[in-house]
Amino acid sequence: MATPKELPGFYYDLTKKRYFPGKRPPASSTSTPSTTPVRPEGTVDTQVAHQKHSRRGSTYQHLVRLKSNPFAYGARRRFHTQTQDSVYGSTTLRRSELVPHSSPLVALAASPNSSDLVVADDRGAIYTYQENAEPSLVYPNSWREEMRLPSDVTSVQMAGIRYVVTTLDPRSQILIGTREDVTMGNTFFVSFPSIRDIWNSAFDGRALTLATEGGIAHIDDIQRLNVDKRRFGVDALSLSRDKDIVYAGVRNGGVFRVDMRVKDRPDSLLGQVDPDPVLNVSLAQTNQLFVGKRSGQLRLFDLRQMSESGRLSTPIVEYFGNVCNTSRRLGLAHDPDGRYLYAAGADCRVRCWNMQTGQQLKASPATVVDGSLLDREFPSPVPAMCLTTSTEGPDILQLAAGRRVLSYELGRKHMDID
């Protein structure tokens, strides 16, 4: 082999068969080729990283793969839904509050931050709870009995500092109170001789809408008490209001939509009537209407998908597995964003569904602990529940169970996987 030429300022390495700048290194350092891999500065040790990811589990590895694939948007959405369902399905008990001197509770309402509560028991007694209230000789804890009503309580609503309690009293008495000392004159009764059988209500702090015998009654200001009645010819048992638009579920299985700004005839949204009354009707999202019937049928409709006759067509989602009977006192609640639906069953259990997919949530056996919501059998059916949302923390689900109010911290709203 020819001898390499000598170049000024360079030396020739026989092993690597190339020139390098500088002087030739000592013979001892070049006699045996190094077996240590040369790692450029800043390169990540992939083997160590793989071991670290392996310790975090297969779910984390799957998420890493999805985030690295720019074309896997649909897969990321499905993974997000499944992971969030798992988190919500493993909800556990946060707090249990015993209402002193009460009988079994039948109605419940909570403030947006869940710090204040108003409940009613089956004897017509009204109790309020303030988380930061100072104890006194009369009320040694945060619960306080406001008064006792002469008939069955049908609904409790809370908005701002005010709350409203409706009853089946023949005089149609409505209790309007504030979350302050009743001795200050902040709690009073109103009654309307022309209104009978108040089954439900919707209250926003000023306007009050009532589901009554033969239709609905709307009071645009509780300070003035001017009543606007709309007749359906059938009893309204449930209702939901979005500003001036009222949706009412009636005894014959139908749903009416009423625009309180005009005197037009109410729109009938469900064409087929049956002897299965609508006990729950509410807006899940801007264009989605949830309808729940006494038989346990739970369905979600899209208000944009109307038939030529102007009625709701096929539901976009149905929720199966609910256990119901002829009782109308079974709690049901969902968040305003239409993400999760909770329903109490006649078998003393609470079930949860993803509202957009219809999938029923179940707690993983590995995460079942004492106080788990979806794996618990309550002593009796849950007659009332309410769900409050907050941008500062997790959603809170409140249940009226016997003489206690149970609070559950639901899964957080957002997961950063995009």
Side-chain angles (χ1 to χ4, degrees):
M1 186 178 73
T3 303
K5 296 181 179 180
E6 293 291 340
L7 300 178
F10 291 85
Y11 72 92
Y12 187 84
D13 192 319
L14 296 175
T15 304
K16 299 181 179 180
K17 298 181 180 180
R18 56 171 292 186
Y19 289 93
F20 290 92
K23 297 181 179 181
R24 185 182 303 275
S28 58
S29 63
T30 59
S31 58
T32 304
S34 174
T35 58
T36 303
V38 178
R39 186 184 309 161
E41 184 178 356
T43 302
V44 178
D45 190 337
T46 56
Q47 184 177 4
V48 175
H50 177 72
Q51 293 175 354
K52 183 186 299 183
H53 294 171
S54 298
R55 289 195 299 270
R56 295 185 179 182
S58 59
T59 302
Y60 179 83
Q61 297 177 47
H62 182 53
L63 176 59
V64 170
R65 289 195 296 269
L66 291 179
K67 293 181 70 174
S68 63
N69 185 356
F71 302 102
Y73 177 79
R76 287 200 299 272
R77 291 291 91 198
R78 288 191 296 272
F79 180 80
H80 172 271
T81 300
Q82 294 170 1
T83 305
Q84 196 169 47
D85 286 355
S86 177
V87 172
Y88 272 68
S90 302
T91 297
T92 55
L93 182 65
R94 174 199 180 199
R95 186 179 63 188
S96 176
E97 291 285 346
L98 176 66
V99 183
H101 313 299
S102 71
S103 60
L105 306 178
V106 297
L108 165 71
S111 61
N113 60 359
S114 301
S115 62
D116 295 354
L117 300 172
V118 178
V119 300
D121 65 15
D122 59 4
R123 295 183 299 179
I126 308 301
Y127 300 86
T128 60
Y129 172 88
Q130 290 183 310
E131 193 174 61
N132 300 321
E134 296 183 0
S136 63
L137 294 177
V138 181
Y139 303 106
N141 54 30
S142 299
W143 286 100
R144 179 174 63 188
E145 181 178 348
E146 300 290 353
M147 62 181 61
R148 291 182 180 267
L149 304 179
S151 59
D152 294 340
V153 173
T154 55
S155 72
V156 177
Q157 301 289 334
M158 182 187 295
I161 64 170
R162 292 191 176 274
Y163 63 87
V164 171
V165 182
T166 62
T167 69
L168 282 178
D169 189 285
R171 295 171 294 176
S172 300
Q173 285 191 334
I174 302 171
L175 173 66
I176 301 176
T178 63
R179 293 178 282 155
E180 299 174 1
D181 191 353
V182 295
T183 60
M184 301 299 293
N186 294 315
T187 301
F188 57 94
F189 281 102
V190 295
S191 61
F192 305 92
S194 61
I195 298 177
R196 298 181 57 187
D197 295 344
I198 301 176
W199 295 102
N200 215 321
S201 62
F203 181 56
D204 63 4
R206 179 180 178 181
L208 174 64
T209 308
L210 307 172
T212 68
E213 178 189 45
I216 64 171
H218 180 70
I219 304 168
D220 58 0
D221 191 341
I222 59 174
Q223 300 292 337
R224 293 183 295 182
L225 301 179
N226 296 322
V227 182
D228 181 7
K229 296 197 298 183
R230 303 297 175 92
R231 307 293 295 180
F232 304 150
V234 61
D235 295 351
L237 302 180
S238 59
L239 56 82
S240 176
R241 189 177 76 238
D242 179 25
K243 297 181 181 179
D244 295 310
I245 306 298
V246 177
Y247 298 89
V250 297
R251 189 180 295 278
N252 67 359
V255 175
F256 287 91
R257 180 172 58 188
V258 184
D259 190 339
M260 303 306 301
R261 297 167 296 184
V262 297
K263 295 292 185 180
D264 294 345
R265 184 177 179 180
D267 300 326
S268 177
L269 298 184
L270 289 182
Q272 296 180 348
V273 295
D274 54 51
D276 193 6
V278 176
L279 301 183
N280 300 96
V281 60
S282 59
L283 286 172
Q285 290 185 357
T286 304
N287 297 304
Q288 293 181 351
L289 184 70
F290 171 79
V291 178
K293 295 193 173 184
R294 186 173 62 183
S295 63
Q297 183 186 67
L298 308 175
R299 298 183 295 175
L300 186 68
F301 294 89
D302 192 329
L303 293 173
R304 297 166 296 184
Q305 298 179 2
M306 294 284 193
S307 63
E308 294 182 357
S309 60
R311 293 177 175 175
L312 295 174
S313 55
T314 305
I316 57 175
V317 184
E318 292 193 57
Y319 311 98
F320 299 99
N322 188 30
V323 178
C324 199
N325 55 17
T326 58
S327 172
R328 65 176 299 272
R329 289 199 182 277
L330 287 176
L332 187 144
H334 63 78
D335 59 313
D337 297 332
R339 294 178 298 125
Y340 291 99
L341 167 69
Y342 293 86
D347 58 350
C348 305
R349 292 185 178 275
V350 173
R351 292 172 175 81
C352 177
W353 294 266
N354 185 309
M355 290 198 73
Q356 302 306 313
T357 65
Q359 181 69 35
Q360 182 177 344
L361 275 59
K362 295 184 181 297
S364 171
T367 58
V368 173
V369 296
D370 293 338
S372 178
L373 173 62
L374 302 184
D375 290 277
R376 177 175 180 177
E377 183 174 352
F378 296 87
S380 60
V382 176
M385 65 175 67
C386 66
L387 196 157
T388 57
T389 61
S390 173
T391 57
E392 300 178 356
D395 300 344
I396 304 295
L397 180 69
Q398 312 268 10
L399 306 182
R403 296 176 55 205
R404 291 183 174 274
V405 176
L406 307 180
S407 301
Y408 289 87
E409 256 186 27
L410 306 181
R412 296 186 177 275
K413 294 181 179 179
H414 305 290
M415 300 180 65
D416 184 15
I417 67 167
D418 291 326

